[in-house]
Structure formats: C-alpha cells, structure tokens
Amino acid sequence: MYRLLIVDNEEYVVNGLVELFQQEKQLDLEVAGAYSAAEALHQLMTTRMDIVITDIRMPGMNGFELQKIIVSRWPRCKVVFLSGYDDFNYAQEALRAGSVNYILKTEDDQVIIDAVKEAIHRLESERETEKVLIEAKSQLKQALTGLQREFFEGLLLGDKHILRSLEKQFDELHIPLAPNRPVGVVVGKVDEWPAEHSHYDRSLLLYAVQNIANEYLSLSTVHASFVYERSKLVWLIQTKAEPWMERFLDDASKQMASQFVYGTFECIQSSCSDLLHLPLSFAIGKHPKPWETLGGEADRLFASIQSSVRRQMLFMQREEADAAGTGSAYSLQHEAFKQYELLSYSLEHNNREEFGRILESLLEAGDKAARSGNDIVRQQIAGAVLSVLCGYLDKLPADEVDGSIAEIKRGYETGRPEAWETQRAHARALADYILGRHVQAEESEENRIITSIHAYLNANLGGDLSLKTMALALGHNPSYLSRLYKQKAGKGLSETVMELKLARAKALLAQPNYRIQDISKAVGFLSDHYFYRFFKRATRLTPQEYREQVNERQRRE
C-alpha cells in the first residue's frame, strides 16, 4: 500500500480528490488531505508519504518550496504539481524540481489518476532497483572477501606482481590501507575448536572474531584482516596519523603505539573467550614493516604461538636485536621453505617467469650443496622441488601422463636413492613437461573457443550476432571473446561477420530461385537498401549485377 497526500488551499479540490482516489480500489492507496502547506508539513514530519499532489500557488508557502522540504525529509516521495494556471514557466520549474507530472486543474480525473499510476510505477521500479543493488552489494562484499584473502595470501608469499602494483590493487579491492606506509602485523590462531563444530560453524566463528576485533580497532586504526589456512587470522594495521606525522614520533611514542595494540588484543582475546567461548592466541609485531617483508614477519609471529602447547597466548615480538640470538640456521631454513611455497604458488597461478626463476635459484643452491658435500641440504632441496612438481602431476589423469614422466614420478614416490645430477635432470624434465601441458591446454581451449565462434556465426548469420548475445550463448565474457578472437584470427569479429555475410549472400545470389529481398533477410540485414549498399561497397556490383554476371559465367561453362 502507498500513502498519498493531497495539498491545496481550496477545500473542495482536496475533498474531491480524496474521494476520487478512495474509490480507486485497484490502486491500493491510503489517502489523506491537507488544506495548507503548514498542515501538510505537520503530517509529513510524522508520517512517511509516498506521493504528494500539491497546488503551486498557496498562501505562506508555494508548492515548489514545499517540494524541497518533502524531498529532504522523504527523498523517494514523488510529487505531482497541480495548478489552475496554464503557465509554461510553471511547467518548466516543476520539471526542474524533479516532479513526476504537472497537471492543470481543468483536466479530467483520468489524467490525475494516470499521473498517480506513473508515480507508483516509478516507486516500484526504484524499489526493485534498490533490491537488486542491495543484493549486488551483498554479493560484491562476499566476492571481495574471497578476492582480498587471495590477494593477501599472495602478498605473504612475496608475489612480485602483487608488490609492483599495490596502490592499484588496494583501490580495486577496497582495501583501506596505504601502500606507501609500513604496516603492523598481528596474527592469531584458534587454540582448540569445539568438537561438534562443522566447517560452516568454524567459518562463522572466525567471522565473529573479525567483527569483534573491528569494534576495538576501528576507532584509532586503519586495518584489514583475513582468514589464513582455515584456522588462522592475520591483521594488517596502520595508525590513523598522517604519514608526515609518523616521522616525528619518537621511540617512546612508537612503544606506546605497540603497547596500545597489545592492550587492544588483550581485550579482543577476552571478549572472544567470554562471548564465543573460543580460546585464541595472538602474536603482535613490535614495529610496522615494509610490505615486501610481510611474509617473513607473519611466519615468525605464527612460529612464536604455534610452537607452544599453551592456550590463549598473547605474545609481543621482542626487539630484533634480542631475537637475533636464534641464529642464522632458522633464517636459512625459513627462507628455503618460503621458496618452496612460492614455487608451488607460481605453478598454481601459471606464472611461468617467476616459476622458472625460483626453480633455477633452488637448483643452483642444490648444485652448491652437492659440490660442498652437504648431502642433507642437497637432499632437502631435491625432495622439496620434486614434491611440488609431482604433487601437480597428481591433478592430471594418470592415463594422460607420458610414460617417462610417470616413471620419474614413481621413482620419487618409492624413495629410490639417486645422484644429484639425476634429481636435477628429473626436476627439469618434470617442469618442462608441466609448463608444456599448460601451454597445450591453453592453446587447445582457445582453439575450441574460436571454432565455437565460427560455428555460432554460421548457424545464426540471419539472426542476432551482437557480441553480448554470442558471449551469452558460448558462456564467456564478451570482452574476452573479442580480444581472444582478434589475437587468434588477426582481425576483429565484426570484420569476420561481414565476410561471412558477403560469402553467404554470393552463394545465395548464384541460385536464381531466391529473391534478393529474401537473401537480404537471410544474411541478417533489416533493410534491403542497406544490403544493396553493403554489397556494392564490397564487390563494386549491385546484387542484381552480380547475379547476372554469375549466370553469364555459368552459361559459358
């Protein structure tokens, strides 16, 4: 039901229109009247109105002034102006004010009823649009969460492509952090999940933890958080201070900032325990770090709370000078492990350049270990690299893997001892094979799409060949189809369409039983005139001249 308010200083006009719309049962209206702008304002301040029909000339306040107040109070309310004056200036002013209609009092009732119907139609359209927008925003938020998580995971792995374009990607993914400022890192993990909780229950609890943290952090920090490896959480935090101010903060101020974060996460930990009955441990970085070092920082923090069996830890990272006592062995081992992870990540994301660079770096390290007689390091590198490559082969159907490659995989899985030269050769062979499969798969899929495009064009030459319709039929993005076709065919889709139309038209013109106007429709021209122009521009002959030329040639043969 919609609410309609009728405003006029002439009582008979208000009463007459109230009675008129009360009798219009199909419109489902709740109708009210006001005999002055002041009375109308009183009703509008307390009751939402969907449609207002108002006179323009009224004592105290005219209809245009009233309309401005209505829009400020109820932005979606539709206003229909009613006037006893056939004045063009009034009509112009009404349209500028955003009214639905401008009606003369001398017009019949149906005109006024139609104006209200139009207002209802607009309200319903806006409501439907709003519903779609709300749903779209909800879906976008869900999609953004997944995209942001994937982005941050790549950032922690040190993906160089991500690091080269932080500002652009922050903007696209609606990440509120500043790429030109260092960022504080806090990590957390669930110490123990309730046994009866499903994967969905766990996801909800992690979402609730992020919401609780947001309540505490949002007042004084800019931050982003994401779920990492299912039961872990990462927060990236920056202060709300302007970048130029941070340069003037002394060590004592920075120490206070880190203590503030520590105290905040102490509250978050307690709230999650009390409200969610979920034990959490947190590790907090001592100082903000450059973006390119986030992966190492997060790993060190996770190690500090994962290596302990204690619950609900709240760990503040020590100064780096103190932490250096852990020795370089951990750093080297950690860096090697990061390289294995990045090798796997590059392979999964088909980043051939990065994959090749990391593989060569690892194999060179293996060469050095083999020359120095360090068999433990050499075996570790060989095992890790072959594990990544064979793990990828597991995703391919066994009967599609070449025999020699399958034999290498079987040798690795059985733990057969092999010399470093053999292991290195096997790693290269597996890498070349996998990258070759990537190229073949992409090439095969692209060729299949081009074949599908040609089949679609030939089957629908007389119908709708718009890019959007074709993309919908083939199940691909229109821009992708257009770009791929030009790349593979060396010409645009529209050029191919015209070539096919011309070839089909020529073939049909060679058959005298088809009329030219039928041929025009058969090749998708809405106008015979346009078909004639197209054909003559392409062949320098009219369709009739071409037909006669073909017939003459056939008679000679």
Side-chain angles (χ1 to χ4, degrees):
M1 177 176 285
Y2 294 99
R3 292 196 182 106
L4 170 64
L5 177 64
I6 296 159
V7 187
D8 200 302
N9 61 307
E10 295 178 351
E11 191 173 327
Y12 77 92
V13 173
V14 175
N15 295 341
L17 290 176
V18 167
E19 186 178 344
L20 172 68
F21 284 105
Q22 284 176 340
Q23 292 171 359
E24 284 289 322
K25 301 299 182 186
Q26 62 174 355
L27 291 182
D28 194 23
L29 291 168
E30 180 184 329
V31 189
Y35 303 109
S36 67
E39 188 180 342
L41 284 175
H42 177 73
Q43 293 195 46
L44 286 161
M45 289 300 108
T46 56
T47 308
R48 189 201 81 240
M49 291 295 171
D50 301 300
I51 306 165
V52 173
I53 298 176
T54 179
D55 190 10
I56 293 178
R57 285 190 177 183
M58 293 183 293
M61 178 184 292
N62 66 40
F64 297 130
E65 294 168 332
L66 177 62
Q67 191 259 356
K68 289 177 183 176
I69 297 173
I70 292 171
V71 169
S72 67
R73 179 73 174 172
W74 307 110
R76 292 176 189 163
C77 182
K78 304 303 172 195
V79 177
V80 177
F81 285 115
L82 199 62
S83 177
Y85 301 91
D86 188 3
D87 189 324
F88 179 71
N89 291 329
Y90 272 177
Q92 273 193 319
E93 181 68 23
L95 291 173
R96 279 198 294 267
S99 72
V100 173
N101 218 320
Y102 176 85
I103 300 170
L104 295 175
K105 292 181 179 179
T106 54
E107 296 189 83
D108 60 38
D109 293 346
Q110 190 57 48
V111 174
I112 300 175
I113 292 170
D114 289 343
V116 171
K117 285 181 178 178
E118 170 63 18
I120 291 172
H121 174 71
R122 290 197 191 182
L123 287 167
E124 289 174 345
S125 296
E126 288 175 7
R127 191 167 293 176
E128 190 62 33
T129 301
E130 183 183 17
K131 183 181 175 184
V132 170
L133 287 174
I134 290 171
E135 187 177 342
K137 284 178 182 177
S138 173
Q139 291 174 348
L140 178 62
K141 186 177 180 181
Q142 292 173 14
L144 273 176
T145 301
L147 291 171
Q148 287 174 352
R149 182 169 62 247
E150 185 178 343
F151 168 80
F152 283 128
E153 286 174 353
L155 193 60
L156 292 189
L157 285 171
D159 188 322
K160 286 184 167 52
H161 173 71
I162 289 177
L163 288 167
R164 280 196 296 265
S165 54
L166 282 181
E167 187 171 358
K168 179 174 180 290
Q169 292 177 88
F170 279 14
D171 184 54
E172 290 173 345
L173 294 173
H174 298 186
I175 295 169
L177 300 167
N180 58 343
R181 294 171 59 191
V183 63
V185 183
V186 177
V187 304
K189 75 175 181 73
V190 178
D191 294 321
E192 184 181 357
W193 289 106
E196 69 280 4
H197 276 34
S198 66
H199 174 70
Y200 178 72
D201 295 331
R202 293 181 179 190
S203 297
L204 284 180
L205 281 173
L206 289 173
Y207 183 70
V209 172
Q210 289 175 285
N211 280 343
I212 289 171
N214 183 59
E215 290 292 323
Y216 282 99
L217 291 168
S218 58
L219 289 175
S220 53
T221 72
V222 179
H223 62 279
S225 64
F226 60 99
V227 177
Y228 186 62
E229 293 182 355
R230 295 193 177 183
S231 62
K232 301 175 185 175
L233 289 159
V234 178
W235 283 266
L236 303 177
I237 302 171
Q238 292 175 333
T239 66
K240 286 188 175 179
E242 292 294 327
W244 64 269
M245 291 177 61
E246 291 187 340
R247 292 180 307 198
F248 298 98
L249 295 176
D250 56 21
D251 290 340
S253 299
K254 291 177 180 177
Q255 177 74 12
M256 286 177 62
S258 63
Q259 289 298 328
F260 164 77
V261 174
Y262 182 91
T264 301
F265 273 89
E266 183 180 7
C267 296
I268 292 168
Q269 190 179 52
S270 299
S271 294
C272 290
S273 178
D274 295 341
L275 300 175
L276 305 177
H277 309 292
L278 194 66
L280 293 162
S281 289
F282 295 107
I284 300 156
K286 186 74 174 176
H287 299 299
K289 298 290 181 183
W291 288 97
E292 58 271 17
T293 65
L294 287 192
E297 176 78 348
D299 285 339
R300 283 189 289 274
L301 291 172
F302 274 125
S304 66
I305 54 176
Q306 269 183 312
S307 59
S308 173
V309 294
R310 291 164 55 196
R311 289 157 58 96
Q312 291 190 281
M313 292 180 65
L314 190 61
F315 173 83
M316 170 70 83
Q317 189 182 45
R318 291 177 295 165
E319 294 290 347
E320 290 182 13
D322 299 334
T326 55
S328 60
Y330 169 79
S331 299
L332 290 171
Q333 186 179 11
H334 167 75
E335 183 56 35
F337 181 72
K338 289 293 293 181
Q339 290 296 307
Y340 305 143
E341 276 193 318
L342 197 51
L343 183 74
S344 178
Y345 177 84
S346 301
L347 184 58
E348 289 290 340
H349 290 75
N350 197 20
N351 189 337
R352 294 185 182 86
E353 184 181 341
E354 187 72 0
F355 173 79
R357 186 190 65 77
I358 297 166
L359 179 63
E360 286 305 314
S361 172
L362 289 169
L363 293 181
E364 283 177 15
D367 287 338
K368 291 178 183 176
R371 285 196 297 270
S372 63
N374 193 336
D375 288 338
I376 293 176
V377 173
R378 187 264 300 171
Q379 196 59 45
Q380 182 190 54
I381 291 172
V385 170
L386 290 170
S387 173
V388 169
L389 297 172
C390 290
Y392 188 84
L393 286 177
D394 285 336
K395 299 176 182 179
L396 303 176
D399 57 350
E400 291 184 12
V401 178
D402 289 355
S404 59
I405 297 298
E407 180 59 31
I408 293 173
K409 184 172 180 291
R410 277 194 295 273
Y412 163 75
E413 289 171 345
T414 57
R416 187 169 60 208
E418 290 171 329
W420 167 247
E421 289 75 14
T422 303
Q423 292 172 323
R424 182 179 57 191
H426 285 172
R428 290 192 190 282
L430 291 176
D432 290 344
Y433 177 77
I434 289 169
L435 291 179
R437 282 295 300 261
H438 266 307
V439 172
Q440 290 170 11
E442 285 178 3
E443 189 74 21
S444 175
E445 174 61 12
E446 288 173 354
N447 289 338
R448 186 195 66 76
I449 293 171
I450 299 301
T451 302
S452 298
I453 289 173
H454 286 153
Y456 180 87
L457 293 176
N458 280 293
N460 297 275
L461 209 51
D464 183 0
L465 292 181
S466 66
L467 184 59
K468 182 179 179 182
T469 303
M470 180 169 61
L472 188 63
L474 298 181
H476 285 279
N477 177 280
S479 299
Y480 169 74
L481 279 186
S482 177
R483 190 168 58 249
L484 175 65
Y485 190 85
K486 191 159 190 177
Q487 175 189 328
K488 301 291 285 186
K491 56 186 174 184
L493 263 170
S494 57
E495 188 179 345
T496 298
V497 169
M498 290 307 176
E499 288 175 358
L500 290 172
K501 284 178 181 286
L502 182 62
R504 179 75 60 85
K506 285 180 175 180
L508 293 174
L509 285 167
Q511 302 177 47
N513 53 316
Y514 288 110
R515 296 184 308 166
I516 291 177
Q517 54 263 46
D518 294 333
I519 294 172
S520 171
K521 290 185 178 64
V523 293
F525 286 93
L526 300 177
S527 156
D528 294 344
H529 176 68
Y530 181 41
F531 172 60
Y532 271 77
R533 285 180 57 201
F534 158 75
F535 196 88
K536 187 163 186 179
R537 188 166 61 246
T539 65
R540 298 180 182 275
L541 297 169
T542 66
Q544 184 60 39
E545 288 170 345
Y546 178 82
R547 170 170 273 175
E548 289 170 358
Q549 193 179 84
V550 170
N551 290 341
E552 181 62 29
R553 192 183 306 126
Q554 288 173 346
R555 278 198 300 272
R556 289 177 184 173
E557 294 172 354

